[in-house]
Amino acid sequence: MSGSAQPGISAEVQRLAAELFDQSRAASYSLSSAEFTRALVEVARKYLPPEAGAEETAELLRSLKVEELALARACAAGNDAAWECFLTRYREKLYGAAHSIARDDATARELADSLYADLYGTATREGQRVSKLNSYMGRGSLDGWLRTVLAQEYVNRYRSGRRLVSLDEQTEAGAQFAAPDPPSAPVADPRLGSATDEALSSLVAEDRFIVAAYFLDGRTLAEIGRILGVHESTVSRKLDKAVKAVRKRIRDGLLARGLSRRAADEALATDVRDLAVDVRASLTQETAAAPFSKGGAQEK
Amino acid sequence: MAELPKFARERLAQSGTPEPHPDANLISAFVENSLTSRERAQVLDHLSRCAPCRAVAGMALPEPAAKPVPIRTTEDRMWARWTVMRWATLAVSAVVIAAAVLVLRPHEKRREVVPDFPMNTAISASPAKPAESAPEAKAPAEEKHQAERWDRSRRAAARPPATAIRNEAPVQPQLAARARQQVVPNAQPGNTFIANAQQQRPGGPYVLQNQAQAAVQQNQNVAVAPSPPPPARADLDKAAAAKAPGVATETVEVTAGAAPVESTANKQNLPKTAMVPGAAGGGLLRARPVEGVAMKDSAARWTISAGGKINRSFDAGQTWAEVPVGQGVAFRAVSANGADIWAGGSGGALFHSSDGGEHWTRVRPSASGSDLSADITRIEFTDAQHGTVLTATGERWTTADAGRTWTVTR
């Protein structure tokens, strides 16, 4: 998007640039007003729709962490005073966050060192140093952004290398990831699958997030509450309500698809995999041959 | 809690990972509640379908132990318990006195006593106005009146005037000294952080903080509204005659800046409604007790809008009105203990109101030769005296004397 395509945004940025420049103390990092204004324009173009008006633009700009944005851009430009400030404020936090994410010293140090190098800008493009700090847009705090970048890097590494890591090591490392890709669910009746999909799609985003975080990711109610910024009891209430709604919609969907009430209730009460396990166990006992095989998903 | 069937979990997990993923800026801003409503909805929808991004969001949260909050020692808890008992006793006394006054007045024409309406000041959470001169009481309840006036005067003397404060000496040195001992981290014995609290109380820090807030709120359920001028005797008679079951209301103006013009919905999906005219004919409604009935539902609520404005509600969140404070400041945090409100935002802007938001004072914390200038991201006041302000740069500013003096840790 060019400036001429968003005259309202550019005009509002120019109007607020001086005020925000003073707030940011960018001058103390030898960051010029023009460079700071360029950063503001970049943020506005990235997060505002083309038709955004002056009020929306002003609201976004005033919500930015301008001081941290100026610091990040000054660091990316190679300003020594800015780097000194950055190191004083964030170096320890960076390594601390890496340790809390990776849970072991070696991985944490590797993670933090890798990010630190990216932040400093060891890579160059067309003779210009490329710093990851140019990606910071001031929407949240700089240390929050650093934690998020670390987390993304850790997730990427874990996901790419998890085949080499045993389940026990993952558990010991404290990894709390998303549930691994589950095996395809052996749905006995396709109507159950479609009714379930329909019920899940009716959930609002927040309820879906809570249900997924609780049942798939294994997060506690308190953790979910912290992510959403609500109280644990609110999460508990929403979760219970959402699950009951899903169960009811599944049941209603099954009834609408021709199942009897009894069959619908049985479908909700019984997991198809449990049925398969029971059958296998029954067969095994009858033949008295191979020992009972235990485990997760059983194939029919 | 209801269980989600396994087949439903598997279908939920198979919903696929939507593209594109929000960048680190959006995820960190989401976790810090810094997004607009539209952006938050978009990110939340993505997170509800994308397990890796949910994992990132979870890891992007700061560790709870990284933000220790000084908790109350046994001494503080006892002090708080005594405070609750004192307020409860005053409230009960006020009800009894008011009932006696209303019942006995028709039979005692010579009675000159029209004391300060005891319920207002007795259950007020704000600094008490200077006790107005009242006719000398001749009733048997004179001792109770005197005790209440003494208490009001003492509290009025204890509270500082609403002016900018910068490292002034505490008015109550004993209380401040004791409080400072409890607040300065790792400096005094007996100071316990949240880590110790975790050992003592289940639920972790998140639950503990809300327990503290709930305890304060419970206290404030008895003392809820900022203290307005007491009603005239005619109003009392009218109220008594009408046997109003609840409360009388009146329209008042917010004196901090221009009068608010409309109610605005905050980011928490509150309905965006215009101000209900109500009995008072519009504008702000502030409930005021008439017969000493605890007005739990009329306690003011506070929030920060997506645009960084302070919003207040007097009707349990049904309608909101912007409180114009701090021109040009993008607020990010607000803490309310009854009528004692703290709000902070960009550039270290910190404002305090001790009368429920009617008047505000800019507070400029200063300690160890430095001023609070970073963006304020969180404010936690467990009571009117003890509070903590956290900044985006990781600074923790604490006070134990309602903001007169501060200590900072980085």
Side-chain angles (χ1 to χ4, degrees):
Chain A
M1 294 178 188
S2 64
S4 59
Q6 297 175 298
I9 293 176
S10 297
E12 194 62 20
V13 169
Q14 295 297 332
R15 188 178 75 81
L16 294 173
E19 174 190 339
L20 296 175
F21 183 75
D22 291 338
Q23 286 183 15
S24 71
R25 300 183 185 177
S28 62
Y29 307 130
S30 301
L31 191 70
S32 68
S33 175
E35 290 171 316
F36 180 74
T37 304
R38 269 200 297 277
L40 293 180
V41 171
E42 184 183 345
V43 173
R45 289 177 182 172
K46 184 177 174 68
Y47 294 109
L48 289 173
E51 65 278 6
E55 188 178 341
E56 190 176 354
T57 304
E59 188 173 334
L60 171 69
L61 294 177
R62 290 192 190 282
S63 71
L64 296 178
K65 317 295 180 191
V66 289
E67 186 181 358
E68 290 162 276
L69 178 62
L71 174 63
R73 294 305 169 104
C75 288
N79 182 270
D80 291 335
W83 268 112
E84 189 175 335
C85 180
F86 178 85
L87 290 175
T88 303
R89 286 187 192 177
Y90 298 106
R91 187 175 186 279
E92 190 177 334
K93 290 181 184 178
L94 185 71
Y95 283 89
H99 194 272
S100 70
I101 289 171
R103 304 287 181 175
D104 74 272
D105 289 342
T107 308
R109 183 156 291 278
E110 183 187 349
L111 200 64
D113 288 343
S114 172
L115 177 59
Y116 182 71
D118 290 339
L119 296 176
Y120 186 76
T122 53
T124 58
R125 185 186 303 160
E126 297 177 356
Q128 295 285 337
R129 191 168 66 183
V130 178
S131 168
K132 202 173 181 70
L133 281 169
N134 275 321
S135 302
Y136 173 67
M137 296 291 168
R139 296 303 310 271
S141 65
L142 183 52
D143 60 347
W145 179 80
L146 290 171
R147 276 197 303 275
T148 307
V149 172
L150 280 172
Q152 285 180 328
E153 183 62 26
Y154 183 64
V155 168
N156 289 338
R157 291 189 184 192
Y158 171 78
R159 283 167 60 83
S160 64
R162 66 179 177 174
R163 293 191 191 87
L164 305 178
V165 180
S166 70
L167 185 61
D168 289 340
E169 287 176 337
Q170 294 173 18
T171 305
E172 287 173 0
Q176 284 188 21
F177 284 91
D181 295 338
S184 56
V187 179
D189 191 330
R191 290 177 292 182
L192 182 60
S194 63
T196 304
D197 291 340
E198 191 178 291
L200 292 174
S201 63
S202 68
L203 289 174
V204 297
E206 187 176 68
D207 290 344
R208 188 186 178 100
F209 174 89
I210 292 173
V211 171
Y214 187 81
F215 288 107
L216 300 185
D217 305 342
R219 294 210 173 268
T220 64
L221 298 176
E223 290 170 342
I224 298 171
R226 287 183 64 216
I227 296 173
L228 295 177
V230 298
H231 194 270
E232 178 182 344
S233 60
T234 303
V235 176
S236 175
R237 189 174 63 249
K238 285 177 180 275
L239 178 65
D240 191 50
K241 188 176 175 183
V243 171
K244 286 178 179 173
V246 166
R247 293 179 65 93
K248 183 178 183 302
R249 288 198 184 100
I250 292 175
R251 185 175 180 276
D252 292 344
L254 291 173
L255 294 176
R257 285 164 174 80
L259 265 71
S260 66
R261 285 183 188 277
R262 181 178 176 182
D265 291 337
E266 284 180 355
L268 276 172
T270 307
D271 187 275
V272 291
R273 296 182 304 170
D274 292 338
L275 282 176
V277 169
D278 291 339
V279 170
R280 180 180 288 268
S282 172
L283 288 175
T284 304
Q285 288 177 0
E286 287 177 0
T287 59
F292 182 80
S293 60
K294 62 180 180 180
Q298 300 290 326
E299 295 182 2
K300 287 187 177 177
Chain B
M1 184 176 294
E3 266 298 313
L4 190 69
K6 288 182 184 176
F7 60 84
R9 298 184 203 185
E10 288 163 359
R11 300 301 279 202
L12 184 66
Q14 288 173 359
S15 58
T17 302
E19 299 280 351
H21 300 283
D23 63 14
N25 290 282
L26 288 178
I27 293 181
S28 62
F30 173 86
V31 167
E32 294 174 3
N33 206 22
S34 300
L35 295 179
T36 63
S37 301
R38 176 181 58 84
E39 290 172 323
R40 180 178 173 83
Q42 290 172 350
V43 173
L44 187 59
D45 183 73
H46 179 92
L47 292 178
S48 71
R49 302 174 192 276
C50 179
C53 287
R54 281 200 305 274
V56 170
M59 285 187 276
L61 285 170
E63 286 285 326
K67 294 184 178 181
V69 176
I71 63 169
R72 292 182 177 182
T73 62
T74 302
E75 192 177 30
D76 270 342
R77 284 195 289 271
M78 290 182 63
W79 183 79
R81 196 175 299 137
W82 160 242
T83 304
V84 171
M85 288 175 58
R86 184 183 65 187
W87 281 109
T89 303
L90 285 174
V92 169
S93 303
V95 170
V96 169
I97 293 167
V101 167
L102 293 174
V103 168
L104 295 177
R105 184 183 294 115
H107 303 291
E108 297 184 36
K109 297 182 180 178
R110 287 188 182 180
R111 190 186 181 109
E112 299 176 0
V113 174
V114 181
D116 292 337
F117 191 67
M119 273 70 73
N120 272 348
T121 53
I123 66 173
S124 167
S126 72
K129 302 287 190 297
E132 299 179 4
S133 60
E136 186 177 359
K138 298 181 181 178
E142 180 178 359
E143 289 185 2
K144 289 186 179 177
H145 285 305
Q146 288 182 349
E148 290 166 19
R149 280 199 289 273
W150 173 84
D151 191 61
R152 285 199 302 274
S153 300
R154 185 179 65 79
R155 282 187 280 110
R159 293 223 178 227
T163 57
I165 299 168
R166 186 194 292 271
N167 281 344
E168 294 179 5
V171 174
Q172 293 178 313
Q174 290 183 355
L175 176 63
R178 180 183 68 186
R180 276 199 293 275
Q181 288 182 358
Q182 297 161 352
V183 170
V184 176
N186 297 325
Q188 299 288 344
N191 185 24
T192 52
F193 283 89
I194 205 67
N196 290 338
Q198 285 176 333
Q199 298 171 6
Q200 297 171 15
R201 296 191 186 189
Y206 193 81
V207 175
L208 179 67
Q209 290 175 22
N210 283 280
Q211 286 176 356
Q213 290 173 0
V216 172
Q217 183 60 39
Q218 186 177 2
N219 177 24
Q220 296 303 327
N221 283 338
V222 176
V224 289
S227 173
R233 182 171 184 173
D235 291 335
L236 288 176
D237 290 339
K238 189 185 300 182
K243 294 185 180 179
V247 298
T249 61
E250 67 173 8
T251 302
V252 295
E253 292 183 357
V254 173
T255 57
V261 293
E262 64 180 9
S263 304
T264 57
N266 64 1
K267 285 201 296 185
Q268 298 165 351
N269 297 323
L270 291 172
K272 188 169 184 176
T273 62
M275 288 297 295
V276 177
L284 281 181
L285 296 179
R286 182 175 64 186
R288 190 174 65 192
V290 174
E291 294 184 345
V293 176
M295 297 166 15
K296 182 175 180 179
D297 289 336
S298 63
R301 295 188 183 183
W302 298 84
T303 189
I304 304 291
S305 70
K309 305 298 181 184
I310 300 175
N311 283 338
R312 177 175 60 180
S313 171
F314 291 110
D315 52 9
Q318 292 183 19
T319 57
W320 295 84
E322 181 181 317
V323 180
V325 177
Q327 187 67 23
V329 174
F331 287 95
R332 284 290 168 260
V334 64
S335 173
N337 279 287
D340 204 79
I341 317 296
W342 291 85
S346 58
L350 182 63
F351 289 82
H352 173 235
S353 171
S354 56
D355 57 3
E358 298 303 299
H359 301 85
W360 293 85
T361 303
R362 177 76 184 258
V363 179
R364 302 180 188 276
S366 179
S368 305
S370 62
D371 300 337
L372 192 164
S373 59
D375 293 347
I376 294 172
T377 58
R378 191 163 181 170
I379 301 176
E380 294 171 354
F381 268 76
T382 54
D383 54 49
Q385 299 293 319
H386 301 83
T388 303
V389 174
L390 305 177
T391 72
T393 55
E395 296 174 348
R396 178 178 295 103
W397 295 75
T398 53
T399 180
D401 50 14
R404 294 185 197 87
T405 60
W406 297 82
T407 57
V408 60
T409 55
R410 295 184 176 85

